[in-house]
Amino acid sequence: MIGYVTVGTNNLETSSRFYDAVFAEIGATRFWVEERFIVWATEPEKSKFCLIKPYDGEPATVGNGVMVAFEVSDPSLVDALYNKSIDLGGKDEGFPGNRGEHFYGAYVRDLDGNKLYFFTSI
């Protein structure tokens, strides 16, 4: 149902390196690159993630209550994505573990403060 998700950045070059390394863990690569944005995908017909410098020229800010969730195939990928994000300067928002009865996941903030959730159904 979701075609793509966009989050803002104030430093496209630095933040794109963060996402290149994190998304390499799940085989996502740059799908489309423009001066103001970069889009990653695992396959052209699958949902996508976009990092963008705001078009209005104002600084990118974090949306209160906004979170992007990435579903992966197993808990080891959740751990790998979490660890890679932290190693690259991301901030811990919830160490990997069970989230209720049905999910295993971890929460991080990227270099611009955007909240990300890596999860798998269990």
Side-chain angles (χ1 to χ4, degrees):
M1 184 161 86
I2 296 175
Y4 63 91
V5 173
T6 300
V7 297
T9 185
N10 292 305
N11 190 325
L12 189 61
E13 183 178 327
T14 299
S15 291
S16 65
R17 286 193 306 265
F18 173 90
Y19 281 106
D20 283 339
V22 169
F23 290 152
E25 297 289 325
I26 57 171
T29 58
R30 292 181 182 201
F31 174 76
W32 185 5
V33 178
E34 295 282 339
E35 182 180 338
R36 301 188 68 79
F37 66 86
I38 300 172
V39 181
W40 288 263
T42 56
E43 297 177 37
E45 65 279 356
K46 299 280 185 170
S47 58
K48 295 159 190 66
F49 180 86
C50 180
L51 183 67
I52 193 167
K53 292 167 50 178
Y55 280 102
D56 65 5
E58 296 296 320
T61 59
V62 177
N64 188 23
V66 174
M67 178 179 71
V68 180
F70 297 94
E71 185 172 13
V72 297
S73 58
D74 61 69
S76 67
L77 280 174
V78 170
D79 295 346
L81 289 163
Y82 172 86
N83 290 327
K84 178 64 75 173
S85 296
I86 299 303
D87 289 347
L88 294 166
K91 304 291 184 225
D92 171 54
E93 283 285 319
F95 196 76
N98 290 338
R99 305 287 187 242
E101 295 179 32
H102 304 288
F103 296 101
Y104 180 89
Y107 298 90
V108 299
R109 292 214 181 250
D110 73 4
L111 303 178
D112 290 289
N114 297 298
K115 191 171 185 179
L116 310 174
Y117 178 48
F118 307 117
F119 77 98
T120 189
S121 299
I122 54 174

